[in-house]
Structures are given as C-alpha cells and as structure tokens.
C-alpha cells in the first residue's frame, strides 16, 4: 500500500509538472480537456518513473527479508549444531560418569575393608600385648611342671596333687654320681584321672613311689 501511494504521488507530480510547463505557473494544473496536450504527454517517462519508484522501494525490502531469512537459517543451524554437540558431549561424558560411580563404590568398599582390617589389627595388638605381659610375668615366676596320670573319660574324675622329691635323697643321689632331674628343684603338680581317691593314690604311688624319695600330697577332686 505505501508503494502504491508513492507511485500515485509520483504520477500526480509528473502531471502537475507537465501542467506547469503548459501554463507557465508551477503547481497550477491546466484545464485538461481544453488546454493540456494529452497526445504529447510523456507516458513512458511517467511509467518508468513509477516502476523505478516501486523497484527502489521493493528491492531493499526484499533484500532485508532475504537477509533476515538467512540470519534465521544461520541461527537455527547453529542452534541445532550446538544441541547436537551437547548431545554428543553428554554421550561421551556418560561412560565417564559410570566409571566414576564404579570407582567411588570400589573406593568405599576398600575403605570399609581397611577399617575392618584396622579393627582386627588393633584386637591382635591387644592380644599380643596381653600375652607379652603374661610371658613377662611367667619369666619372673619359677616354672611349675604338670604331670598327668591316667586317661580321662567315663566315670573317671581328675584328682589334683603336689609332688616333691626328698632333698636328702636328691643330695645322696648326687653324691653317688646319679643324675637328678632338675625339674624337681621347682614346683611339680599332678592330675590323676581315676574312679576314686584310693585309685588315684595307687596310680600316683606307682609312678612316684615313696620309697624312691617322692612325696605326693593330694587335694580335692578337680570335677
């Protein structure tokens, strides 16, 4: 519509210019029927002027629309390329995320195992320390030898006793050149598994006879 208005204005201006040439007064149109020479009017020039005006108005508009379409297409293409690149980036990052999650779980499992190992190590160190204290205590105390007689089981019970070797007999044996077990310099305990006390005494006297210089002192039954 603006283009048509401008064309009409151009045509009107051309007519007024022609009228001014006929009357000698600018802007004053002549009496078209009587005075204006329609045959000598330059219709081709007017038409060319109208076409030129239309082209001068339409070409920039078409060029602007073409440029706008081109920019829209470039923007859409770049946006699509960015979206596609972002999708490819997400696809490439996904295995890394899976690997990171697996490594995190493995690290947590290792940390848990390490904590359990530290707990076991602490418990072992405590047991070793306790055993070392017991060993130190035993080193400071004289040794005690335990002699077990009989076979446990059935109706047999365990009877406890203490045994000694007569020092006079031991001295006489050494004087005669006979060896004496050095264990008798320390404490000696006996556990006899027997049906009753009498059987336990007989078993102990058979192994440690009183005539051989041994002395056996019985206590209550173990169980």
């Amino acid at each position: 519509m603006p283009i048509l208005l401008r064309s009409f204005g151009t045509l009107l201006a051309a007519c007024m210019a022609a009228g001014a040439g006929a009357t000698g007064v600018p802007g004053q149109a002549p009496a078209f029927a009587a005075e204006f020479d329609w045959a000598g009017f330059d219709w081709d020039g007017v038409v060319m002027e109208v076409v030129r005006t239309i082209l001068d108005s339409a070409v920039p508009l078409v060029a602007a629309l073409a440029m706008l379409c081109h920019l829209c297409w470039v923007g859409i293409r770049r946006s699509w390329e960015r979206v596609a690149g972002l999708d490819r980036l997400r696809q490439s990052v996904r295995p890394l995320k899976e690997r990171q999650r697996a490594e995190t779980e493995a690290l947590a499992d290792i940390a848990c195992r390490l904590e359990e190992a530290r707990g076991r190590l602490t418990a072992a160190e405590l047991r070793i320390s306790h055993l070392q204290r017991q060993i130190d205590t035993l080193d400071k105390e004289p040794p005690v030898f335990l002699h077990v007689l009989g076979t446990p089981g059935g109706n047999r019970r365990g009877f406890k006793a203490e045994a000694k070797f007569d020092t006079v007999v031991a001295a006489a044996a050494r004087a005669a050149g006979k060896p004496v077990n050095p264990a008798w310099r320390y404490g000696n305990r006996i556990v006899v598994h027997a049906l009753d006390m009498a059987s336990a005494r007989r078993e102990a006297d058979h192994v440690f006879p009183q005539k051989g210089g041994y002395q056996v002192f019985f206590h209550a039954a173990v169980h």
Side-chain angles (χ1 to χ4, degrees):
M1 182 63 71
I3 296 174
L4 295 178
L5 292 177
R6 289 180 59 185
S7 301
F8 180 75
T10 303
L11 179 60
L12 181 60
C15 294
M16 292 179 69
T23 60
V25 180
Q28 181 178 358
F32 289 100
E35 300 179 3
F36 186 71
D37 186 11
W38 291 98
F41 185 75
D42 188 8
W43 290 100
D44 294 335
V46 172
V47 172
M48 292 299 297
E49 184 68 21
V50 172
V51 171
R52 187 180 299 110
T53 302
I54 295 173
L55 292 177
D56 291 341
S57 301
V59 170
L61 178 61
V62 173
L65 290 176
M67 181 61 66
L68 180 61
C69 293
H70 178 70
L71 292 177
C72 292
W73 166 248
V74 172
I76 293 173
R77 185 178 63 183
R78 290 184 178 179
S79 299
W80 176 257
E81 291 177 354
R82 290 179 181 178
V83 171
L86 182 60
D87 186 66
R88 288 194 299 270
L89 181 61
R90 289 176 179 175
Q91 295 294 333
S92 62
V93 169
R94 184 173 302 170
L96 297 178
K97 289 184 178 180
E98 295 292 336
R99 181 178 178 182
Q100 181 183 8
R101 181 168 62 251
E103 291 179 352
T104 302
E105 293 177 355
L107 183 60
D109 184 66
I110 292 174
C112 182
R113 293 183 181 180
L114 180 60
E115 191 66 25
E116 293 178 355
R118 286 177 179 174
R120 292 194 297 268
L121 179 60
T122 302
E125 290 177 348
L126 292 176
R127 290 195 298 269
I128 291 174
S129 178
H130 179 68
L131 292 175
Q132 187 63 44
R133 289 195 299 268
Q134 290 182 345
I135 291 172
D136 294 340
T137 302
L138 292 176
D139 288 340
K140 297 177 182 179
E141 295 179 356
V144 177
F145 296 91
L146 179 64
H147 307 273
V148 180
L149 305 178
T151 303
N155 295 327
R156 294 176 179 269
R157 294 181 300 168
F159 295 90
K160 295 192 302 180
E162 293 183 4
K164 294 181 179 181
F165 190 64
D166 193 350
T167 56
V168 177
V169 176
R174 292 191 185 95
K178 296 180 180 180
V180 178
N181 193 335
W184 294 107
R185 298 177 184 177
Y186 307 99
N188 287 266
R189 296 177 182 177
I190 301 174
V191 175
V192 183
H193 296 280
L195 296 176
D196 49 25
M197 181 64 75
S199 300
R201 289 181 183 276
R202 288 194 299 269
E203 184 69 24
D205 186 67
H206 177 72
V207 178
F208 304 103
Q210 188 175 2
K211 295 179 179 180
Y214 298 98
Q215 298 175 356
V216 179
F217 306 94
F218 275 91
H219 303 289
V222 177
H223 55 82

